[in-house]
Amino acid sequence: MGFLQSIKMALRSIQGNKLRSFLTMLGIIIGVSSVIVLISIGQGTSEAVTNQINRLGTNLLTVNVMDTDVVKLTQENIEKFQKIEGVKAIAPVVSGRVVAKNGNTSTQVALMGTTAPYQTVRDAQVSQGRFLSDIDVEYRQKIVVLGANTAQTLFGMDNPIGKYVQINGTSFKVVGVLASKGGSLGQNGDDVMVMPLSTAQRVIKTTNIQTLYIQGKSADQLDQVMGLVQRVLMNMFPNHQDSYSVFNQKDLMDTMSSVTNTMTMMLGGIAGISLLVGGIGIMNIMLVSVSERTREIGIRKAIGAKRRDILLQFLIEAIVLSSLGGIVGIMLGFAGGKLLAAMAGITISYSFSVSLIAFFFSLVVGVVFGVFPASKAAKLDPIQALRYE
């Protein structure tokens, strides 16, 4: 009997037992759809975390000063970092909390004083107006750039550009509004006010730089630049390494990627168990099918069917069931993922390769768990099979 004839007989047998065939496929359907949905959630989470980290800026090193009484970073010694090979731009930051007012509306907001390169280093986009310039810092201009939430709180739907806000009793002209960046690693970049570094130092009443953002020219050089930055800090402040920290964005990215990849693998493994359970279901139903069709097998053998033909027929039935289950599972996986993303508001990232692997794994499950029932059917003695009641 030819291969195509075996496929036709297998399909005819499946069609003749629709309910049993569906129940057999159900385990595979659930398994494949679970693999796709859970791995898509894991990959989506990984992408969301990566995007959050990238909002901080690209190729970024952050120097945080914990004790400004010991480690006093000033504008003068910051120039030493600019001379380090591989450094593209530097943005010093002083920060504090102030009360900002516009008419009868007031709010407490985070104030940042920085320089023009901050826009590039931290990838700060402006939705209205402009950002700070070098001249603003040099001449201590009384201007501010508002975060998206701060602008809405103080001015509502009005255009704030060119208007003034009161900060600690002093008027500052609004020259720009930052584009909304949302929350990133526990920080909200929209509830801020940015002003020239020299101006902010007077408002906050400190000249000590609390944070220093250093942008490398490339990700490949970031580790080397970090080592040179640490060396410069050690020379500036010997025996005070506990008073500051140097934070590498690439290290955080690698750590978070490792965590999310582990989570994705774990979710995929859990879903893979469903596929194995589905395979066991196929084997059980096929064994029942062998028992029910014993006389049929005996008749086929009596009229000349070879052991190989019987083996092939039952094996093809198992493969067809698992492949159909895999196809339906893929469709349900994509539909379920979109529904979950819409309802729960989570990020889903589909992968064609994952869907393909899940489908081929379902085929493998069909072959592996279909071999035993097919082998049992092929080994039946035709005389004993014909006598079976």
Side-chain angles (χ1 to χ4, degrees), residues 69-82:
D69 293 330
V70 175
V71 178
K72 297 183 179 181
L73 283 176
T74 61
Q75 191 66 33
E76 290 73 24
N77 57 26
I78 284 175
E79 294 176 1
K80 296 180 181 178
F81 296 101
Q82 193 69 61

Side-chain angles (χ1 to χ4, degrees), residues 96-248:
R97 301 287 296 182
V98 295
V99 176
K101 296 180 66 177
N102 174 37
N104 295 325
T105 304
S106 64
T107 181
Q108 191 177 59
V109 65
L111 173 66
M112 287 197 310
T114 187
T115 56
Y118 180 91
Q119 184 177 15
T120 303
V121 172
R122 293 297 306 273
D123 191 25
Q125 303 297 323
V126 178
S127 62
Q128 294 175 271
R130 65 175 180 87
F131 196 70
L132 308 177
S133 66
D134 292 331
I135 294 177
D136 296 327
V137 178
E138 183 178 353
Y139 290 99
R140 297 186 178 89
Q141 297 293 322
K142 292 182 180 180
I143 61 170
V144 289
V145 178
L146 304 180
N149 288 353
T150 305
Q152 187 174 16
T153 300
L154 293 175
F155 293 94
M157 301 303 293
D158 295 338
N159 185 356
I161 305 301
K163 297 179 180 178
Y164 290 83
V165 294
Q166 298 286 323
I167 302 176
N168 293 350
T170 304
S171 293
F172 289 81
K173 185 178 181 180
V174 179
V175 297
V177 177
L178 295 174
S180 178
K181 296 183 74 171
S184 179
L185 301 180
Q187 300 176 351
N188 194 327
D190 297 336
D191 295 323
V192 296
M193 303 179 75
V194 184
M195 67 171 56
L197 178 67
S198 53
T199 309
Q201 286 174 328
R202 287 189 171 186
V203 173
I204 302 173
K205 298 178 182 178
T206 180
T207 58
N208 296 332
I209 306 298
Q210 296 149 327
T211 306
L212 188 64
Y213 296 111
I214 302 174
Q215 186 179 41
K217 292 180 180 178
S218 69
D220 297 334
Q221 293 180 294
L222 207 56
D223 289 334
Q224 179 183 351
V225 172
M226 181 176 178
L228 294 173
V229 167
Q230 289 174 326
R231 185 181 302 174
V232 170
L233 286 167
M234 288 177 65
N235 292 333
M236 285 182 182
F237 311 104
N239 303 319
H240 292 294
Q241 287 88 339
D242 294 337
S243 299
Y244 62 83
S245 65
V246 182
F247 170 77
N248 189 337

